[in-house]
Amino acid sequence: MSLFPADIEASAKGLVTRLAAAGLTLATAESCTGGLIAGALTDIAGSSAVVLCGYITYANQAKTDMLGVPELTLSTHGAVSRQTAMAMAQGALLRSGANVSVAVTGIAGPGGGTPEKPVGLVHLAAINRNGMMLHRQMHYGDCGREAVRLSTVRTAIEMLLEVTP
């Protein structure tokens, strides 16, 4: 029995199978999901062949120290931004040596939102070594912390499938 809903388990299994068949690896860089993406993937038997690592960079300092996100990016655009998500994904790809990576940063709630960056706002970025990079700005709404985080996992796996050659 999986810790995750059946749809997440199925998409995670599909991604792991696809990466393994291609001989590719992945890394995650997670803020608001706190490791749930890596958790969903490593819940799949055989995932050790494809999951290299997961960075949980909740604090800005961790984003800078572990992933190389420029302090100027964080001070100019904030942790929850397209620029930060993209820098996180690039940092995870380069520092891990993986073939693909995904990064997420957002406001899961229940507090912490502002009119400009409301609860439920999540920025995701995925990248591969061929230079393909995707960004999505998701507005899941103030639907509860668990729902925002699980929705983010779903979107992150979809994006990893899109950037997997």
Side-chain angles (χ1 to χ4, degrees), residues 77-97:
H77 304 286
V80 180
S81 66
R82 175 182 62 84
Q83 295 84 351
T84 296
M86 292 172 74
M88 289 171 65
Q90 289 171 326
L93 189 76
L94 296 174
R95 292 184 181 214
S96 70

Side-chain angles (χ1 to χ4, degrees), residues 30 53 97 134 161:
E30 303 182 58
C53 63
L134 303 175
L161 283 164

Side-chain angles (χ1 to χ4, degrees), residues 16 19 24-28 37-38 41-42 46-54:
V16 167
L19 288 165
L24 301 175
T25 58
L26 71 85
T28 65
I37 300 164
L41 295 169
T42 58
S47 61
S48 61
V50 300
V51 178
L52 285 186
C53 63

Side-chain angles (χ1 to χ4, degrees), residues 63-114:
K63 289 174 181 65
T64 298
D65 293 347
M66 296 171 71
L67 298 172
V69 175
E71 290 181 11
L72 184 61
T73 297
L74 292 164
S75 64
T76 303
H77 304 286
V80 180
S81 66
R82 175 182 62 84
Q83 295 84 351
T84 296
M86 292 172 74
M88 289 171 65
Q90 289 171 326
L93 189 76
L94 296 174
R95 292 184 181 214
S96 70
N99 301 104
V100 297
S101 74
V102 68
V104 300
T105 182
I107 304 164
T114 66

Side-chain angles (χ1 to χ4, degrees), residues 8 33 36-37 40 148-158:
I8 291 176
T33 49
L36 288 176
I37 300 164
V148 170
R149 288 163 43 112
L150 288 176
S151 293
T152 302
V153 171
R154 287 180 179 99
T155 305
I157 293 172
E158 288 170 13

